[in-house]
Amino acid sequence: MNVLFSEKLIRKRVTEIADQISSDYKDREVLIIGVLNGSFIFCADIVRNLVNMKFKMDFISLSSYSGMRSTKKIEVVSKFKENVSGRDVLILDDIIETGMTLDFITKEVISKKPKSVRTCVLIDKRCMRKKDVSIEYVCLEMAANMGDDFVVGYGLDYNGCFRGLPYICKLKEFVR
Ligand code: 5GP
Ligand code: MG
């Protein structure tokens, strides 16, 4: 089994990013918006490592993938409910590829006049980027030499499966 990001590495990077978030938002109250479904484990692990800051949690549920293919159309399955106006907002997503998804959510949040918006992703597949979106916190980077394969595990799925894997690997390790 060729593991791309081990459980140990994920834990280390999640803790480091949570520390950085805690220090950047020290003594402030942040509205964290998790992008479901893929980021549910990442969100749970990040927020349990936040210290010296207050936060409230909300979620937006989107669908833009069917199997391994992007439908190129972002469907809002359910919207966040908190009032965003005047608040510091931090968006947490599982993986950024073209940037379409994060661009969409960021614009949605900005239209509601927050005080600030930052984004945090578990994985950055930078070689696939089409939209210029700024990401303040990146846990893991899929370097060019790792390829641009579809990955699963730690919340990331293929047709709803593989979310419970404690590590992240390429789908082709399972499906040939
Ligand atoms: P983007 O809009 O940046 O092109 O794609 C981001 C979304 O596509 C992610 O939030 C995720 O839901 C899905 N996605 C992109 N690449 C992968 C991948 O390798 N594995 C999985 N499971 N989902 C992916
Ligand atoms: Mg996603």
Side-chain angles (χ1 to χ4, degrees), residues 35-39 62 64-65 92-96 101 105 156:
V35 185
L36 295 176
N37 294 335
S39 75
L62 298 179
S64 65
Y65 258 71
L92 296 192
D93 200 1
D94 52 359
I95 182 164
I96 177 164
T101 308
I105 303 167
L156 291 154

Side-chain angles (χ1 to χ4, degrees), residues 103-137:
D103 184 61
F104 174 87
I105 303 167
T106 309
K107 283 182 177 151
E108 180 73 17
V109 169
I110 288 172
S111 74
K112 297 184 176 0
K113 310 241 180 307
K115 185 169 155 200
S116 71
V117 189
R118 286 187 180 180
T119 56
C120 169
V121 295
L122 172 65
I123 302 172
D124 186 1
K125 251 192 210 178
R126 192 177 292 183
C127 59
M128 303 280 282
R129 192 81 84 260
K130 293 211 174 84
K131 290 257 182 200
D132 185 22
V133 232
S134 74
I135 315 168
E136 282 73 22
Y137 308 100

